[in-house]
Amino acid sequence: MTVAAELVARVEAGDRRALARLITWIEDDDPRAHAALAGLYPRTGRAHIVGVTGAPGTGKSTLVSALAAEERKRGRSVGIISIDPTSPFTGGALLGDRIRMMEHIADRGVFMRSMASRGSVGGLSVSTSDAVRALDAFGCDVVFVETVGAGQAEIDIVRTAHSVIVIEAPGLGDEIQAFKAGILEIADVFVVNKADREGADKTANALKVMLDVGNTMKQRRGDGPARVPAPSAAEAGHHGAREGNFPAEAYAPTTDATEWRPPILKTVAAERRGVIEVVDALDAHWRHLRESGAITQRERERVEDEVRQLLGRTLTRRCVEAGGLERYAALVDAVTARALDPRGAVEALIGAWVAQRKEAG
Amino acid sequence: MTETKKIRVLIAKPGLDGHDRGAKVVARALRDAGMEVIYTGLRQTPEMIVEAALQEDVDCIGLSILSNAHGALFPRIVELLTGEGRNDILLFAGGIFPDEDVPEIKRLGFRGVFGPGSDTRDIAAFIRTEIAARGPVRG
């Protein structure tokens, strides 16, 4: 049995050490990971993948920990991938999300892994997708991917999820800040966390207004996505009535019954308040994706995205390796010295690879 | 373009210490030395630490103790790691230890013991040297 095949068998058998090692190989872009993932691929596609993103300090890790607890109550096994930035200066990273998740550590139904972004272009979302797949094959029913919603790389990651939670908190300054980065458009569920703080209603209202504006524009253009309603307040009522919980607040009515309206939910994750409603909304969204058939399209977009990124990454590596690292460095030097333009360098690199292919046969 | 294998380190505080200033300083210093540092916070049981090390697949664990509980906690952690087949992980200890205990801590398998006043650069260098000596990581 090859090393990779042995690892596949161990992951399938539920060996946590094997899963941990597989994710390490994925992060290191080790060829053994590629072989193992190929073996595991047929076993994937079962988990509900949930992306969680928001500004630093909004309470992402605390919310994910609380959501994991609620998922466990519903009998589901949970995988968590928590991504923190790699320092561009030292290449190091401080991964502290476990501090808020240690309550699950003794629970064999929860597997958590911290990942550093490592800064390789396009590489982060590829390795995250692979790590999610590893958890999926391991048998996790739900996989949470948590990351700071600070840039395109992060948005790409959460786009690989089936359902996306965008988390906000009151008092983080100008509400408009959070809405700049195109993060509103990717949300399936909005959470206003720390809702016991002053300004929570204001934040929720700001979200509502921004969504209304976006929706009106989409309707005018006639290109709004096919969506169906979020759970109504009545559906969520059996939880909402509970003391200490916040009522699920279904957002502005639309006339189109096929549309998914992202609910805006208030939570105090540190006290587990409002968390049931968030899991209800995730369940409803997951159901909606499957029943409306939207899952097929999402899945296809996801796969295409990944294939394209992998293609770019693989070709980059092959082109650079074909000419050798010294030649690569020399070309970069030449561009820096204005002796060559960037596209010229790219053509030279591709040329080296093509020449190598021809030699090979 | 070169993809180097990152050294992953778990910094953990077993026991009931009330503060973690030292552990945080070390965590930060190792990050600045280019390592990926997983920090788990205060008041961890040996079981929690070993499970975290397992899931995170770390190359190295640094344990910080100020409360003199190392005599009970360190052997337990080593035992659990051995039970999980992960006694290959590099161990070091930081904090306050009576001089006469240091040989025993080393005998347990802790390759480095760093007391107050240790230079964090020495800790980073220690980890690099030890891990390099173990040959290719994560084989």
Side-chain angles (χ1 to χ4, degrees):
Chain A
M1 212 188 252
T2 65
V3 182
E6 191 198 325
L7 194 77
V8 168
R10 283 172 60 201
V11 170
E12 285 180 349
D15 182 336
R16 288 157 19 265
R17 258 186 311 160
L19 174 62
R21 181 54 50 92
L22 173 57
I23 298 177
T24 302
W25 287 353
I26 289 168
E27 288 195 288
D28 291 343
D29 203 22
D30 189 307
R32 287 171 294 188
H34 306 169
L37 286 163
L40 288 170
Y41 194 71
R43 286 178 59 92
T44 62
R46 290 179 297 191
H48 179 197
I49 305 163
V50 179
V52 181
T53 190
T58 46
K60 288 181 295 297
S61 303
T62 309
L63 181 74
V64 167
S65 189
L67 293 175
E70 178 59 25
E71 295 283 4
R72 293 296 295 139
K73 277 188 200 153
R74 299 185 188 196
R76 298 168 189 150
S77 57
V78 177
I80 301 169
I81 292 174
S82 222
I83 301 160
D84 275 325
T86 291
S87 159
F89 303 106
T90 66
L94 195 47
L95 310 169
D97 292 322
R98 268 196 175 269
I99 296 173
R100 281 160 201 95
M101 303 198 185
M102 288 311 276
E103 61 170 314
H104 300 295
I105 194 81
D107 179 357
R108 288 291 150 88
V110 179
F111 187 100
M112 191 226 159
R113 180 64 174 243
S114 317
M115 287 175 74
S117 59
R118 296 201 184 178
S120 60
V121 180
L124 179 56
S125 44
V126 170
S127 55
T128 309
S129 295
D130 282 342
V132 166
R133 206 163 279 143
L135 290 168
D136 187 352
F138 185 67
C140 293
D141 298 312
V142 189
V143 177
F144 291 101
V145 181
E146 178 218 329
T147 179
V148 170
Q152 193 56 47
E154 285 80 9
I155 289 178
D156 283 347
I157 291 161
V158 293
R159 273 177 52 206
T160 68
H162 296 120
S163 308
V164 174
I165 298 177
V166 170
I167 175 167
E168 267 292 325
L172 289 181
D174 186 355
E175 272 83 9
I176 298 300
Q177 288 294 343
F179 310 146
K180 282 182 191 168
I183 216 163
L184 269 192
E185 290 83 348
I186 61 170
D188 300 301
V189 177
F190 286 100
V191 168
V192 178
N193 191 33
K194 306 189 182 181
D196 52 346
R197 291 201 185 170
E198 200 185 319
D201 288 332
K202 203 175 139 204
T203 303
N205 279 333
L207 278 169
K208 218 178 275 187
V209 169
M210 295 302 286
L211 280 174
D212 282 338
V213 171
N215 259 17
T216 311
M217 285 165 64
K218 273 178 199 156
Q219 277 162 8
R220 280 205 191 125
R221 290 200 312 265
D223 62 351
R227 295 176 150 191
V228 299
S232 69
E235 271 177 87
H238 60 287
H239 297 305
R242 199 168 305 160
E243 198 182 349
N245 278 352
F246 295 99
E249 197 173 336
Y251 129 82
T254 71
T255 47
D256 186 354
T258 62
E259 189 170 330
W260 171 267
R261 295 188 303 261
I264 300 167
L265 304 173
K266 284 187 266 180
T267 60
V268 182
E271 296 168 14
R272 297 282 168 84
R273 284 200 279 159
V275 170
I276 289 170
E277 289 78 2
V278 178
V279 176
D280 283 348
L282 289 175
D283 286 357
H285 186 249
W286 185 222
R287 211 164 41 238
H288 152 62
L289 284 178
R290 284 174 300 167
E291 284 170 8
S292 67
I295 182 101
T296 320
Q297 200 197 334
R298 243 187 215 221
E299 200 67 21
R300 204 182 177 286
E301 282 170 9
R302 210 164 79 87
V303 168
E304 190 191 342
D305 222 49
E306 190 175 351
V307 168
R308 202 175 50 235
Q309 292 213 22
L310 265 177
L311 180 67
R313 194 185 189 192
T314 310
L315 280 181
T316 301
R317 165 158 338 121
R318 289 192 183 165
C319 288
V320 169
E321 283 171 0
L325 279 174
E326 291 80 16
R327 185 175 142 81
Y328 173 72
L331 283 167
V332 173
D333 288 342
V335 175
T336 313
R338 298 292 187 277
L340 186 67
D341 79 312
R343 283 194 178 76
V346 169
E347 290 301 334
L349 288 164
I350 294 173
W353 178 61
V354 171
Q356 192 195 45
R357 300 281 301 166
K358 278 189 186 143
E359 270 172 43
Chain B
M1 284 305 294
T2 46
E3 305 211 14
T4 49
K5 308 256 185 252
K6 291 275 180 194
I7 296 175
R8 286 172 67 87
V9 183
L10 180 76
I11 297 292
K13 282 197 68 72
L16 299 172
D17 291 347
H19 79 78
D20 57 354
R21 163 78 48 108
K24 279 177 175 157
V25 168
V26 171
R28 170 73 197 266
L30 296 181
R31 183 202 76 160
D32 290 346
M35 299 176 194
E36 291 182 358
V37 184
I38 294 116
Y39 185 60
T40 58
L42 285 164
R43 297 186 195 92
Q44 306 289 304
T45 65
E47 286 77 7
M48 291 161 100
I49 291 165
V50 170
E51 183 62 26
L54 205 86
Q55 292 185 8
E56 298 289 356
D57 196 20
V58 293
D59 308 293
C60 172
I61 304 175
L63 297 171
S64 157
I65 288 198
L66 307 170
S67 62
N68 209 25
H70 53 274
L73 295 169
F74 282 0
R76 178 74 183 138
I77 289 168
V78 171
E79 182 191 338
L80 288 167
L81 282 171
T82 308
E84 292 285 359
R86 285 308 315 263
N87 47 355
D88 59 314
I89 297 176
L90 171 66
L91 297 176
F92 71 93
I96 300 163
F97 310 105
D99 288 342
E100 62 269 28
D101 289 4
V102 172
E104 175 60 18
I105 294 171
K106 291 208 161 159
R107 200 194 56 80
L108 275 171
F110 287 77
R111 301 280 297 171
V113 178
F114 299 91
S118 298
D119 189 325
T120 53
R121 284 169 299 189
D122 292 341
I123 303 178
F126 155 81
I127 295 172
R128 280 197 195 292
T129 311
E130 284 285 333
I131 288 189
R134 283 156 195 246
V137 288
R138 311 198 261 269

